[in-house]
Amino acid sequence: MASSWCWNCLSRLRVSPTPRAILPPQLITPRVASASFHSSAVHYANPTKKKGALVTAKYRQGQTLRRKKKKTTERARPPAVGERKALRKRIVLSNPNALEVEGMQDLSSETMVDARLRGSVLGLPLPMLDQLRAVQAFKPKQGWSIFRRPGTVLRRDTLEMGRLFEKISGEGDAPEKGKVVKKILTGLKGSGKTVHLLQAMAMGFLKQWVVVSVPDARDLVSGETSYSPLEGTSPLQYVQPNAVSALLMRTVEANRAVLSSLKISQKHKDIPALKPSSTLEDLAKLGFQDVAVAWPVFQALWTELTATAAAPGMEKDFKPRPPMLVTVDGLAHWMKESAYRSSDYSPIHAHDLVLVKHFLSLLQNGQASLKNGGMVLYATSTSNNPAVYTLEVALDQLAARQAGISPSSPEYPSPEAYSGADERVLELFKPTVGKEPQFELQTLGGLTRDEARGYLEYFARSGLLREEVNETWVAEKWSLSGGGIIGELEKLGRHVKSTAQPTVVLN
């Protein structure tokens, strides 16, 4: 039997949308995809609450804003002004936990020239520590706080310097009595340049010399202290009254015993407050009590210390003046322009500061300035050293002259063309003509193996080193330290190794 449906009707039925009633009931409303286990439809779910909508309060329910209370944290008290700097520059010279070295000798006028003690560590006399602190001879990173008491190793350079102190302070008509020795110390980092200056200051105090020290040359050119032009100078010079006052204070604290025993012997018209019966200590105190007269007081004190005879009418209380020791650490900072500015905002060269110029003049006119003899020791620094090309050339020229190379020789070092070398620095290092002795260049190297062994044995006796100190072990550490560089030896010696039964054998 033929169907009443034609092909055209069937095609229309295929493309027409399916009536809603024909679809199964579960496909009418989609289910929630995230919860496939639930069989309820979305239409039957509870309506979501809109954000920010007001909710009606229930009976006797308050509408209060509840916030979490922030926990109050107690802040520490900020450090006082200068407290961090004082902590950073604090000097500790004793460690009660370290062992006391038995039989340790002190540095004295006899031991500082005794060649039999070469390589041994000598303790600094306790009464002298205050004097060394006054001139700021100790540095924070030198490792003084790991030993029971401060001591210094007696090396070859130390013995030679001790003999120079003996000759300059000679009795009677010694040939080198009253001589002025001028040296510039150089060397690798950790070679002991600053400690060498400390040893010189300790010997100066032992010999009752007057010690004048500039612990850091950077402080005078960094622009951190007041300055003013000095009238009547051409070219214009600048004075730093606060820096001069601080220098006078350090000099009085370190040399109080010597200055208090000497009375003024010259007439100083620029200082009307000075009495004829005043001592050199009273004269120096005027400089840091009144900063305005600090520079005239310093000039008057220098005149008194270098006097060889008293002025007419003041011969009664005149005593011979002792030799002087002048030390400066960080010489390279004085060989370039400073951080100060002139009135037209041009940089001021370090040689135009009168205090810097005074100390640099001792390299050229030391014998004329220090008439009673003495020693001038200026050291370069490698830990805080500016790159000054002219100074490097000047030091190379000085080393060449000491080696016998003539300035006219092609091997003589000279500044490169268009390098902008500072002529003032080169002029300072030129050889002097006449009786004035030329200053020397002394390069500090490492300790010898015998000196290194004595130095490391001191670490073992102090309880820091728990190793067997013998020739093989010392040779190994001497090589690791770059040939006995004392700063590297200290790092190797203070390295403690814990063992089950710590023993120290000194062969």
Side-chain angles (χ1 to χ4, degrees), residues 232-415:
T233 56
S234 180
L236 190 61
Q237 305 290 314
Y238 297 86
V239 65
Q240 300 161 288
N242 290 330
V244 178
S245 177
L247 177 62
L248 289 172
M249 183 180 298
R250 294 196 303 266
T251 305
V252 169
E253 292 179 359
N255 307 275
R256 192 181 303 274
V258 178
L259 297 180
S260 61
S261 62
L262 301 175
K263 293 188 176 181
I264 61 173
S265 61
Q266 308 296 321
K267 296 180 181 179
H268 307 285
K269 299 180 181 179
D270 297 338
I271 310 174
L274 188 62
K275 299 179 180 179
S277 59
S278 301
T279 62
L280 298 189
E281 181 185 2
D282 300 332
L283 172 62
K285 284 183 177 180
L286 296 176
F288 56 83
Q289 291 176 353
D290 187 4
V291 180
V293 295
W295 176 243
V297 167
F298 179 80
Q299 290 179 308
L301 179 63
W302 195 270
T303 303
E304 291 287 347
L305 291 174
T306 58
T308 56
M314 306 184 70
E315 300 89 350
K316 181 180 179 181
D317 298 325
F318 178 77
K319 291 183 181 181
R321 287 359 186 186
M324 295 182 63
L325 171 66
V326 182
T327 63
V328 175
D329 197 1
L331 182 63
H333 291 281
W334 290 356
M335 301 300 160
K336 61 185 186 67
E337 294 178 345
S338 67
Y340 294 98
R341 299 282 179 168
S342 61
S343 57
D344 58 350
Y345 204 69
S346 60
I348 300 174
H349 199 278
H351 294 188
D352 290 333
L353 303 174
V354 291
L355 189 58
V356 173
K357 184 179 180 180
H358 171 78
F359 286 111
L360 291 179
S361 65
L362 300 179
L363 294 176
Q364 293 286 349
N365 306 314
Q367 191 68 46
S369 300
L370 305 177
K371 300 178 181 178
N372 298 300
M375 191 177 297
V376 178
L377 294 179
Y378 294 170
T380 59
S381 176
T382 51
S383 58
N384 181 20
N385 188 37
V388 183
Y389 172 74
T390 311
L391 178 62
E392 297 176 0
V393 175
L395 293 178
D396 292 340
Q397 292 179 351
L398 181 58
R401 290 196 298 268
Q402 290 185 187
I405 301 176
S406 174
S408 59
S409 174
E411 299 179 358
Y412 189 77
S414 58

Side-chain angles (χ1 to χ4, degrees), residues 69-271:
K69 295 183 178 179
K70 295 182 179 180
K71 296 182 179 180
T72 57
T73 57
E74 297 182 359
R75 295 183 178 180
R77 180 183 61 85
V81 177
E83 184 176 349
R84 292 177 179 173
K85 183 178 181 180
L87 185 62
R88 187 174 64 252
K89 293 189 174 183
R90 184 181 59 172
I91 305 295
V92 180
L93 299 180
S94 177
N95 182 12
N97 296 323
L99 298 180
E100 187 173 358
V101 180
E102 298 181 359
M104 183 178 180
Q105 301 186 35
D106 288 347
L107 184 68
S108 62
S109 301
E110 294 78 18
T111 57
M112 72 182 189
V113 293
D114 193 353
R116 297 172 297 179
L117 299 175
R118 178 180 172 181
S120 59
V121 177
L122 302 180
L124 299 176
L126 297 180
M128 190 192 296
L129 297 182
D130 293 336
Q131 294 176 290
L132 293 174
R133 278 183 178 272
V135 292
Q136 299 181 8
F138 301 105
K139 303 300 179 182
K141 298 182 180 180
Q142 287 179 340
W144 303 104
S145 60
I146 62 178
F147 300 106
R148 187 80 174 188
R149 54 172 299 192
T152 179
V153 63
L154 197 66
R155 57 195 296 184
R156 179 181 63 257
D157 303 292
T158 308
L159 291 172
E160 294 177 358
M161 183 173 58
R163 297 188 187 101
L164 289 177
F165 273 91
E166 287 287 339
K167 294 177 181 179
I168 297 174
S169 305
E171 300 290 339
D173 297 332
E176 297 187 1
K177 181 181 180 181
K179 180 182 177 181
V180 177
V181 177
K182 302 175 292 183
K183 290 186 178 183
I184 295 180
L185 304 177
T186 60
L188 298 175
K189 183 177 181 179
S191 58
K193 299 181 292 296
T194 304
V195 177
H196 193 75
L197 295 181
L198 181 144
Q199 293 173 343
M201 287 184 272
M203 294 179 183
F205 290 133
L206 289 174
K207 290 296 183 180
Q208 300 296 319
W209 287 19
V210 176
V211 178
V212 180
S213 174
V214 179
D216 191 357
R218 178 183 174 275
D219 294 339
L220 298 182
V221 296
S222 59
E224 298 176 359
T225 182
S226 60
Y227 70 106
S228 60
L230 191 62
E231 298 180 358
T233 56
S234 180
L236 190 61
Q237 305 290 314
Y238 297 86
V239 65
Q240 300 161 288
N242 290 330
V244 178
S245 177
L247 177 62
L248 289 172
M249 183 180 298
R250 294 196 303 266
T251 305
V252 169
E253 292 179 359
N255 307 275
R256 192 181 303 274
V258 178
L259 297 180
S260 61
S261 62
L262 301 175
K263 293 188 176 181
I264 61 173
S265 61
Q266 308 296 321
K267 296 180 181 179
H268 307 285
K269 299 180 181 179
D270 297 338
I271 310 174

Side-chain angles (χ1 to χ4, degrees), residues 30-46:
R31 297 182 180 180
V32 181
S34 59
S36 58
F37 58 89
H38 203 282
S39 59
S40 299
V42 179
H43 292 290
Y44 299 105
N46 294 328

